[in-house]
Amino acid sequence: MPDRSITPEILLRAYAAGLFPMAESAEDDGLFWVEPRERGIIPLDEFHITSRLARTVASDRFEIRIDTDFEAVIAGCAAITEGREDTWINRRIRELYGELFDRGICHTVEAWRDDRLVGGLYGLELGGAFFGESMFHRDRDASKVALVHLVARLRAGGYQLLDTQFVTPHLASFGAIAIPRRDYTKLLAEAMDVTAEWWRWLREKRSSGAEVLAALADSFPQDAK
């Protein structure tokens, strides 16, 4: 049976205290709390992308949709792929974040092409903090473009903290850094006192690549325009 001791309310309190849950595997019904000694973040004012990726964003190769298909996104994040033979996303994780999605606290940024979901990410918000959980891609650059759209939305909405949990080479290429737990706790407390707005870019408005790049004009070489 899935671990019912962790409820959505407990989950939110844990995030506010600097913890997040994981499972040993998709088959393991249990959850455990993680509080890394060093926490991965992407400083929103230091986010950067390459000229090539900026051109991909500008081309609108992918249609970016917001909060339209949580189940498909988390399934994509949990899927077994080349180089990833297991996942920490178990049934209880899907249920918990699904409940928070229904409440408007968990969000997805989705990359679609020819009416097919080809990449995306999900995470949750508290105050002025956004906690990125996982991302996936089936087409080249799909998850990268979703991340670019996410950062533009966070900047537009007044967010102060983008938590990536850990730093991978992929995230480091966008400016992700690892900071000590003490520094992270301070940033988190400051962000929690901020009132941010996820829907400052309206749900009905599917932002174009040009609009996103305009919002991130300091994040890529100017010859990428």
Side-chain angles (χ1 to χ4, degrees), residues 39 41 131 163 179-188:
R39 192 69 164 251
I41 67 168
F131 305 88
D163 177 351
I179 60 174
R181 181 187 300 163
R182 179 177 57 187
D183 295 343
Y184 173 80
T185 300
K186 180 181 178 182
L187 290 177
L188 176 61

Side-chain angles (χ1 to χ4, degrees), residues 12-24:
L12 294 177
R13 289 200 293 271
Y15 273 96
L19 292 80
F20 58 88
M22 295 186 74
E24 291 290 351

Side-chain angles (χ1 to χ4, degrees), residues 6-19 33 100 103 105-106 124-126 131 192:
I6 298 178
T7 64
E9 289 72 27
I10 290 174
L11 183 64
L12 294 177
R13 289 200 293 271
Y15 273 96
L19 292 80
W33 295 112
L100 293 176
R103 297 185 191 183
I105 299 171
C106 182
L124 60 87
E125 62 165 331
L126 284 175
F131 305 88
M192 292 293 292

Side-chain angles (χ1 to χ4, degrees), residues 31-199:
L31 298 175
F32 60 90
W33 295 112
V34 181
E35 186 181 19
R37 290 182 179 275
E38 291 194 328
R39 192 69 164 251
I41 67 168
I42 296 180
L44 291 171
D45 58 353
E46 298 178 18
F47 180 75
H48 53 259
I49 61 178
T50 64
S51 297
R52 186 192 67 79
L53 182 56
R55 288 191 291 271
T56 300
V57 173
S59 74
D60 287 324
R61 177 190 306 171
F62 305 107
E63 177 190 358
I64 301 301
R65 305 178 189 176
I66 307 297
D67 289 359
T68 70
D69 199 337
F70 171 79
E71 291 297 336
V73 171
I74 199 168
C77 291
I80 304 304
T81 62
E82 183 178 352
R84 185 176 68 188
E85 298 180 355
D86 204 351
T87 176
W88 54 269
I89 299 175
N90 67 1
R91 179 166 47 160
R92 187 56 181 152
I93 290 284
R94 292 181 186 231
E95 291 174 348
L96 284 168
Y97 290 87
E99 290 182 49
L100 293 176
F101 179 80
D102 291 339
R103 297 185 191 183
I105 299 171
C106 182
H107 299 286
T108 60
V109 182
E110 309 154 13
W112 294 76
R113 192 173 188 184
D114 299 327
D115 210 32
R116 182 174 66 94
L117 181 66
V118 294
L121 58 86
Y122 78 96
L124 60 87
E125 62 165 331
L126 284 175
F130 187 87
F131 305 88
E133 285 297 310
S134 188
M135 59 199 309
F136 79 101
H137 72 276
R138 299 188 182 108
D139 281 15
R140 180 184 179 185
D141 290 337
S143 61
K144 294 180 181 179
V145 173
L147 178 60
V148 173
H149 276 255
L150 170 67
V151 171
R153 179 170 290 271
L154 296 181
R155 284 192 180 185
Y159 292 81
Q160 290 193 357
L161 176 65
L162 173 52
D163 177 351
T164 67
Q165 299 179 347
F166 305 104
V167 176
T168 65
H170 171 67
L171 292 173
S173 70
F174 291 95
I177 59 173
I179 60 174
R181 181 187 300 163
R182 179 177 57 187
D183 295 343
Y184 173 80
T185 300
K186 180 181 178 182
L187 290 177
L188 176 61
E190 292 172 352
M192 292 293 292
D193 285 335
V194 171
T195 300
E197 186 180 347
W198 177 257
W199 288 115

